[in-house]
Amino acid sequence: MLKPRDPAARARLGWLLLTLALLLPTLPLTQFTLGTLLNGDTWLGLARFAAGFLPPAHDGDFLREVAKETATTLAVASAGLLLAMLLGAPLAFATSRALDDHQLTASPPHRATLAAQSLLRGLMVWLRGVPDIVWALLFVRAAGLGSLPAVLALGLAYGGMLGKVYAEILESQPRAPAQALAVAGASRWQRLCWALWPQTLPELISYSVYRWECAIRASAVMGFVGAGGIGQLLDSSLKMLNGGEVATLLLVFLLLVGLSEAVSRWSRRALERDGGRRLLLAGGALVVFSLAWLWPDWRANGFDWRGLPHFAMEFLPPDFSVAALRQLGQGVVETLAMSALGTVLAALLAMPLALPAAGRLGAAAKRATRLLLNALRGIPDLLWAALAVLALGLGPAAGVLALAMHTAGVLGRLFAETLENAPPQAEQALLHAGAGRVAAFCYGPLPVVASQWLAYTLYRWENNIRIATVLGIVGAGGLGQQLYLALSLFQQQAAAAVILAMVALSWGVEQLSRALRRRMG
């Protein structure tokens, strides 16, 4: 008797072979091989370093310094988000199509207005296209060390993000109320206040809180470029190979991530209870504390604003010589290869971790795996890159490993939640029919969740392309390493070309992602 064949097996095998064929070139490009990971000397050196993690440093002076820099990190995130909101809200007001006369009425558009909006949208692309850590590096090089460069970096990068998302939130609302006010002769401001503001306020606040959560992670690693906070302590400890201090600081990183997630959950409940009034009061108090905490440091360190124009002029014109373009092309290809290989390795690691994380191997395994996934995603990718450089040395292989570790934590959690939400009927029917647990899983929930897993993986690849551009700041290859080297050698024009390449790559990924979402929708 012939065994029934899987009708989709040939298609699955074809896609698998195609994926492997596309990934093969990434191995020589990133210098990432299994031999590198299995090298005994590599792991022996890393084991010696990891052995120094225990016990974590806990002397009084160090813990006081950690507490101080942790407060600075929280203050930088809060002050940076405030600056981003002050920048992003006017940009959204000026560029949102939901408030335009010609969109709401039959009146013809004004060319000057359209030109001004195009310029502002281009400004937002530029602001968010330059990664926040790169903004921080530029401000540190231009005007000195300290927490103010980090606040300015977050304000500019997140200001571009908030302006874009705020405008999209306004545009997602029903047009009828704003249209009625426009026909009645109401101004742009009146349309915002009376037609859109009441409906969008909860969503605007919710997204702002999410950005504050992201700002905490970002500000925690800006110390790697001298912008203060807990990252600066960690950078010093890593360079001194002080494992005990690194262990303590990693624990603090994870506590900060847990705190931000707890605040995010509380904010959602506060929005539901009283419309966000309590949340706005808490946010105002946090901003006042942040500015009061940071002000003495700003006064003591100073900030040479007069040097900014001269520093900016040193970047003109960007170096687009043939040799520079060849090097940029190599950096872009290396960055894309790092992001692709790191994402695929993360997905391969996340799939087996998703099973126990979804509770399929018992409650104890679920708790342990969830804790592991939280640790993987809680440690920022730039910190993973710094640790990977210690294990594998300088170069893109460290970037691949860093992306794989951080993204595995993100995808593992998403994959597990998708498994938990999958309908159980098909798997139960197969088990009752006598199929084994592996077969029941492969032919029951796996086909249901596979498309969602693929969508999550592609979304994370989009994010990882942006992340891969900056991992080289700590020596993990790609465009970031070229930028750091150019700035270290005071080759500002070469650095300008690298930054433009980063912006172009970020913009290209954003446009491609938007086109794919429209096609899939």
Side-chain angles (χ1 to χ4, degrees), residues 4 15 54 130 208 463 471 473:
W15 281 110
L54 298 175
V130 178
S208 300
N463 281 269
L471 295 183
I473 288 176

Side-chain angles (χ1 to χ4, degrees), residues 410-481:
V410 177
L411 289 180
R413 180 66 181 269
L414 293 173
F415 288 1
E417 290 176 352
T418 308
L419 270 180
E420 288 179 323
N421 296 328
Q425 290 83 0
E427 185 177 15
Q428 290 174 354
L430 288 168
L431 290 172
H432 288 314
R437 294 183 64 85
V438 175
F441 173 76
C442 292
Y443 290 95
L446 184 58
V448 177
V449 302
S451 61
Q452 192 65 44
W453 283 11
L454 178 60
Y456 282 139
T457 303
L458 291 174
Y459 172 71
R460 285 308 308 180
W461 182 34
E462 175 191 338
N463 281 269
N464 284 346
I465 292 174
R466 296 188 180 94
I467 294 169
T469 61
V470 300
L471 295 183
I473 288 176
V474 294
L479 288 172
Q481 193 160 334

Side-chain angles (χ1 to χ4, degrees), residues 112-340:
T113 301
L114 293 178
Q117 288 181 328
S118 296
L119 286 174
L120 291 176
R121 291 191 184 103
L123 173 64
M124 287 191 289
V125 169
W126 173 258
L127 290 176
R128 67 178 183 270
V130 178
D132 45 46
I133 192 74
V134 174
W135 279 119
L137 176 60
L138 293 174
F139 280 122
V140 165
R141 294 299 172 90
L145 304 172
S147 58
L148 186 55
V151 172
L152 295 174
L154 287 173
L156 292 181
Y158 282 34
M161 295 177 195
L162 291 179
K164 175 180 180 287
V165 176
Y166 284 174
E168 291 176 347
I169 290 173
L170 294 176
E171 291 165 5
S172 68
Q173 304 305 311
R175 299 178 62 181
Q179 204 164 18
L181 287 175
V183 171
S187 66
R188 191 179 184 90
W189 178 254
Q190 289 171 326
R191 291 172 222 159
L192 173 68
C193 292
W194 300 107
L196 296 178
W197 181 260
Q199 317 174 57
T200 58
L201 184 59
E203 193 172 353
L204 291 171
I205 294 176
S206 179
Y207 184 76
S208 300
V209 172
Y210 164 73
R211 271 296 146 198
W212 178 77
E213 184 181 336
C214 296
I216 290 178
R217 292 185 174 94
S219 62
V221 297
M222 285 188 179
F224 280 102
V225 296
I230 195 171
Q232 199 155 328
L233 282 180
L234 184 60
D235 186 43
S236 300
S237 299
L238 284 170
K239 289 176 179 176
M240 298 295 293
L241 296 180
N242 191 323
E245 291 185 359
V246 172
T248 300
L249 292 166
L250 287 177
L251 291 174
V252 172
F253 266 98
L254 295 177
L255 288 174
L256 277 176
V257 172
L259 171 66
S260 65
E261 292 178 350
V263 171
S264 182
R265 290 192 296 269
W266 174 83
S267 68
R268 287 193 291 270
R269 291 195 296 268
L271 277 173
E272 294 171 358
R273 283 197 299 266
D274 57 13
R277 286 187 293 273
R278 190 182 306 178
L279 180 60
L280 289 174
L281 287 174
L286 182 60
V287 166
V288 171
F289 161 77
S290 300
L291 295 177
W293 179 267
L294 295 173
W295 181 249
D297 174 62
W298 294 350
R299 289 188 62 185
N301 288 337
F303 193 84
D304 187 10
W305 297 96
R306 296 169 298 178
L308 292 180
H310 175 71
F311 182 72
M313 292 303 296
E314 292 178 353
F315 286 77
L316 300 176
D319 182 7
F320 287 130
S321 62
V322 175
L325 288 175
R326 189 182 298 115
Q327 189 175 10
L328 278 179
Q330 180 184 348
V332 169
V333 171
E334 195 173 87
T335 297
L336 291 172
M338 283 166 52
S339 65

